[in-house]
Coordinates of all heavy atoms in Angstrom, one line a residue:
K1 N 0.8 -1.2 0.0 CA 0.0 0.0 0.0 C 0.9 1.3 0.0 O 0.7 2.2 -0.8 CB -0.9 0.0 1.2 CG -1.8 1.2 1.4 CD -2.8 1.1 2.6 CE -2.1 0.6 3.8 NZ -3.0 0.5 5.0
Y2 N 1.8 1.3 0.9 CA 2.7 2.5 1.0 C 3.6 2.6 -0.2 O 3.8 3.8 -0.7 CB 3.5 2.5 2.3 CG 2.8 2.9 3.5 CD1 2.0 2.1 4.2 CD2 2.9 4.2 3.9 CE1 1.3 2.5 5.3 CE2 2.2 4.7 5.1 CZ 1.4 3.8 5.8 OH 0.8 4.2 6.9
G3 N 4.0 1.5 -0.8 CA 4.8 1.6 -2.0 C 4.1 2.2 -3.1 O 4.6 3.0 -3.9
K4 N 2.8 1.8 -3.3 CA 2.0 2.4 -4.3 C 1.8 3.9 -4.1 O 1.9 4.7 -5.1 CB 0.6 1.7 -4.4 CG 0.7 0.3 -5.0 CD -0.7 -0.3 -5.1 CE -0.6 -1.7 -5.6 NZ -1.9 -2.4 -5.7
V5 N 1.6 4.3 -2.9 CA 1.3 5.7 -2.6 C 2.6 6.6 -2.9 O 2.5 7.7 -3.5 CB 0.9 5.9 -1.1 CG1 1.0 7.4 -0.7 CG2 -0.4 5.3 -0.9
F6 N 3.8 6.0 -2.6 CA 5.0 6.8 -2.8 C 5.8 6.3 -4.0 O 6.9 6.7 -4.2 CB 5.9 6.6 -1.5 CG 5.3 7.3 -0.3 CD1 4.8 6.6 0.7 CD2 5.3 8.7 -0.3 CE1 4.2 7.2 1.8 CE2 4.7 9.3 0.9 CZ 4.2 8.6 1.9
H7 N 5.1 5.6 -4.9 CA 5.7 5.2 -6.2 C 7.0 4.4 -6.0 O 8.0 4.7 -6.7 CB 5.9 6.4 -7.1 CG 4.7 7.2 -7.3 ND1 3.6 6.8 -8.1 CD2 4.3 8.4 -6.8 CE1 2.6 7.7 -8.0 NE2 3.0 8.7 -7.2
R8 N 6.9 3.5 -5.1 CA 8.1 2.6 -4.9 C 7.6 1.1 -5.1 O 6.4 0.8 -4.8 CB 8.6 2.7 -3.5 CG 9.2 4.0 -3.1 CD 9.7 4.0 -1.6 NE 10.1 5.3 -1.2 CZ 9.5 6.0 -0.3 NH1 8.5 5.6 0.3 NH2 9.9 7.2 0.0
S9 N 8.5 0.3 -5.5 CA 8.2 -1.1 -5.5 C 8.1 -1.6 -4.1 O 8.6 -0.9 -3.1 CB 9.2 -1.9 -6.2 OG 10.4 -1.9 -5.5
T10 N 7.4 -2.7 -3.9 CA 7.3 -3.3 -2.5 C 8.7 -3.5 -1.9 O 8.9 -3.1 -0.7 CB 6.5 -4.6 -2.5 OG1 5.2 -4.3 -3.0 CG2 6.3 -5.1 -1.1
P11 N 9.7 -4.1 -2.6 CA 11.0 -4.3 -2.0 C 11.7 -2.9 -1.7 O 12.3 -2.8 -0.6 CB 11.8 -5.0 -3.0 CG 10.8 -5.7 -3.8 CD 9.6 -4.8 -3.9
K12 N 11.5 -1.9 -2.5 CA 12.1 -0.6 -2.3 C 11.4 0.1 -1.1 O 12.1 0.8 -0.3 CB 12.0 0.3 -3.5 CG 12.9 -0.1 -4.6 CD 14.3 0.2 -4.2 CE 15.3 -0.1 -5.3 NZ 16.7 0.1 -4.8
Q13 N 10.1 -0.2 -0.9 CA 9.4 0.4 0.3 C 10.0 -0.2 1.6 O 10.3 0.5 2.5 CB 7.9 0.2 0.2 CG 7.2 0.8 1.4 CD 7.3 2.3 1.5 OE1 7.3 3.0 0.5 NE2 7.4 2.8 2.7
I14 N 10.2 -1.5 1.5 CA 10.7 -2.2 2.7 C 12.2 -1.7 3.0 O 12.5 -1.5 4.1 CB 10.7 -3.7 2.5 CG1 9.2 -4.2 2.5 CG2 11.5 -4.5 3.6 CD1 9.0 -5.6 2.0
E15 N 12.9 -1.6 1.9 CA 14.3 -1.0 2.0 C 14.3 0.4 2.6 O 15.1 0.7 3.5 CB 15.0 -1.0 0.7 CG 16.4 -0.5 0.7 CD 17.0 -0.5 -0.7 OE1 16.6 -1.3 -1.6 OE2 17.9 0.3 -0.9
H16 N 13.3 1.2 2.2 CA 13.2 2.6 2.7 C 12.9 2.5 4.2 O 13.6 3.2 5.0 CB 12.1 3.3 2.0 CG 11.7 4.6 2.5 ND1 12.6 5.7 2.3 CD2 10.7 5.1 3.2 CE1 12.0 6.8 2.9 NE2 10.9 6.4 3.4
W17 N 12.0 1.7 4.7 CA 11.7 1.6 6.1 C 12.9 1.1 6.9 O 13.1 1.5 8.0 CB 10.5 0.7 6.3 CG 9.2 1.3 6.0 CD1 8.9 2.6 6.0 CD2 7.9 0.6 5.7 NE1 7.6 2.8 5.7 CE2 7.0 1.6 5.5 CE3 7.6 -0.7 5.6 CZ2 5.6 1.3 5.2 CZ3 6.3 -1.0 5.3 CH2 5.3 0.0 5.1
A18 N 13.6 0.1 6.3 CA 14.8 -0.4 7.0 C 15.9 0.7 7.2 O 16.5 0.8 8.2 CB 15.4 -1.6 6.2
T19 N 16.0 1.5 6.1 CA 17.0 2.6 6.2 C 16.6 3.6 7.3 O 17.4 4.0 8.2 CB 17.1 3.4 4.9 OG1 17.5 2.5 3.9 CG2 18.0 4.5 5.0
I20 N 15.3 3.9 7.4 CA 14.8 4.8 8.4 C 15.0 4.2 9.8 O 15.5 4.9 10.8 CB 13.3 5.2 8.2 CG1 13.2 6.1 7.0 CG2 12.7 5.9 9.5 CD1 11.7 6.3 6.6
G21 N 14.7 2.9 9.9 CA 14.9 2.2 11.2 C 16.3 2.2 11.6 O 16.7 2.4 12.8
K22 N 17.2 1.9 10.7 CA 18.7 1.8 11.0 C 19.2 3.2 11.5 O 19.9 3.3 12.5 CB 19.5 1.4 9.8 CG 20.9 1.2 10.0 CD 21.6 0.7 8.8 CE 23.1 0.4 9.0 NZ 23.9 1.6 9.1
I23 N 18.8 4.3 10.8 CA 19.3 5.6 11.2 C 18.7 6.0 12.5 O 19.4 6.5 13.4 CB 18.9 6.6 10.1 CG1 19.7 6.4 8.8 CG2 19.1 8.1 10.6 CD1 19.2 7.2 7.6
A24 N 17.4 5.6 12.8 CA 16.8 6.0 14.0 C 17.4 5.2 15.2 O 17.6 5.8 16.3 CB 15.3 5.6 14.0
E25 N 17.8 4.0 15.0 CA 18.4 3.2 16.0 C 19.8 3.8 16.3 O 20.3 3.8 17.5 CB 18.5 1.7 15.7 CG 17.3 1.0 15.9 CD 17.5 -0.5 15.7 OE1 18.5 -1.0 15.2 OE2 16.5 -1.3 16.0
E26 N 20.5 4.2 15.3 CA 21.9 4.7 15.5 C 21.9 6.1 16.1 O 22.9 6.6 16.6 CB 22.6 4.7 14.1 CG 22.9 3.3 13.6 CD 23.5 3.3 12.2 OE1 23.5 4.3 11.5 OE2 24.0 2.2 11.8
N27 N 20.8 6.8 15.9 CA 20.7 8.2 16.4 C 19.4 8.4 17.1 O 18.5 9.1 16.7 CB 20.7 9.1 15.2 CG 22.0 9.0 14.4 OD1 23.0 9.5 14.7 ND2 21.9 8.2 13.3
P28 N 19.2 7.8 18.3 CA 18.0 7.8 19.0 C 17.5 9.2 19.4 O 16.3 9.4 19.7 CB 18.2 7.0 20.3 CG 19.7 6.9 20.4 CD 20.3 7.1 19.1
D29 N 18.4 10.2 19.5 CA 18.0 11.6 19.9 C 17.4 12.4 18.7 O 16.9 13.5 18.9 CB 19.2 12.3 20.5 CG 19.7 11.7 21.7 OD1 18.8 11.0 22.4 OD2 20.9 11.8 22.1
L30 N 17.5 11.9 17.5 CA 17.0 12.6 16.3 C 15.5 12.3 16.2 O 15.1 11.2 16.2 CB 17.7 12.2 15.0 CG 19.2 12.6 14.9 CD1 19.7 12.1 13.6 CD2 19.4 14.0 15.1
P31 N 14.7 13.4 15.9 CA 13.3 13.2 15.6 C 13.1 12.5 14.3 O 13.9 12.6 13.4 CB 12.7 14.6 15.6 CG 13.7 15.5 16.2 CD 15.0 14.8 16.0
L32 N 12.0 11.7 14.2 CA 11.7 10.9 12.9 C 11.7 11.8 11.7 O 12.2 11.5 10.7 CB 10.4 10.1 13.1 CG 10.0 9.3 11.9 CD1 11.1 8.3 11.5 CD2 8.7 8.6 12.1
N33 N 11.0 13.0 11.8 CA 10.9 13.9 10.7 C 12.3 14.4 10.2 O 12.6 14.6 9.0 CB 10.0 15.1 11.0 CG 8.6 14.7 10.9 OD1 8.2 13.7 10.2 ND2 7.7 15.4 11.6
F34 N 13.2 14.6 11.2 CA 14.6 15.0 10.8 C 15.3 13.9 10.0 O 16.0 14.1 9.0 CB 15.4 15.4 12.1 CG 16.7 15.9 11.8 CD1 16.8 17.3 11.4 CD2 17.8 15.2 12.0 CE1 18.1 17.8 11.2 CE2 19.1 15.7 11.7 CZ 19.2 17.1 11.3
V35 N 15.1 12.6 10.5 CA 15.7 11.5 9.8 C 15.1 11.4 8.4 O 15.9 11.2 7.4 CB 15.4 10.2 10.6 CG1 15.8 8.9 9.8 CG2 16.1 10.2 11.9
K36 N 13.8 11.6 8.2 CA 13.2 11.5 6.9 C 13.8 12.6 6.0 O 14.1 12.4 4.8 CB 11.7 11.6 7.0 CG 11.0 10.4 7.5 CD 9.5 10.6 7.6 CE 8.8 9.4 8.1 NZ 7.3 9.7 8.2
D37 N 13.9 13.8 6.6 CA 14.5 15.0 5.8 C 15.9 14.7 5.3 O 16.3 15.1 4.2 CB 14.4 16.3 6.6 CG 13.0 16.8 6.8 OD1 12.1 16.4 6.0 OD2 12.8 17.6 7.6
I38 N 16.7 14.0 6.2 CA 18.1 13.7 5.8 C 18.0 12.7 4.6 O 18.8 12.9 3.6 CB 18.8 13.0 7.0 CG1 19.1 14.1 8.1 CG2 20.1 12.4 6.5 CD1 19.6 13.5 9.4
I39 N 17.2 11.7 4.7 CA 17.1 10.8 3.6 C 16.7 11.5 2.3 O 17.2 11.2 1.2 CB 16.1 9.6 3.9 CG1 16.7 8.8 5.1 CG2 15.8 8.7 2.7 CD1 15.8 7.8 5.7
I40 N 15.7 12.4 2.4 CA 15.2 13.1 1.2 C 16.4 14.0 0.6 O 16.6 14.0 -0.6 CB 14.0 14.0 1.5 CG1 12.8 13.1 1.8 CG2 13.7 15.0 0.4 CD1 11.6 13.8 2.4
G41 N 17.1 14.7 1.5 CA 18.2 15.5 1.1 C 19.3 14.7 0.4 O 19.9 15.1 -0.6

């Protein structure tokens, strides 16, 4: 569902979530929106 909304394949959507999760775990003090903005940048 999310992959379709954001124009990603299902594997790419899962990879995107894994990337966010990895960054969030490595940087627990960063807000989620900041992590997302970093990925977009």
Side-chain angles (χ1 to χ4, degrees):
K1 177 176 49 177
Y2 279 83
K4 287 181 181 179
V5 169
F6 293 107
H7 306 286
R8 298 181 186 111
S9 66
T10 301
K12 286 292 184 185
Q13 182 63 40
I14 294 168
E15 182 181 333
H16 175 71
W17 282 339
T19 300
I20 291 172
K22 182 176 184 286
I23 293 170
E25 280 188 352
E26 291 173 348
N27 302 279
D29 296 333
L30 295 180
L32 180 58
N33 283 335
F34 187 79
V35 171
K36 289 180 180 180
D37 288 343
I38 290 170
I39 293 170
I40 291 169

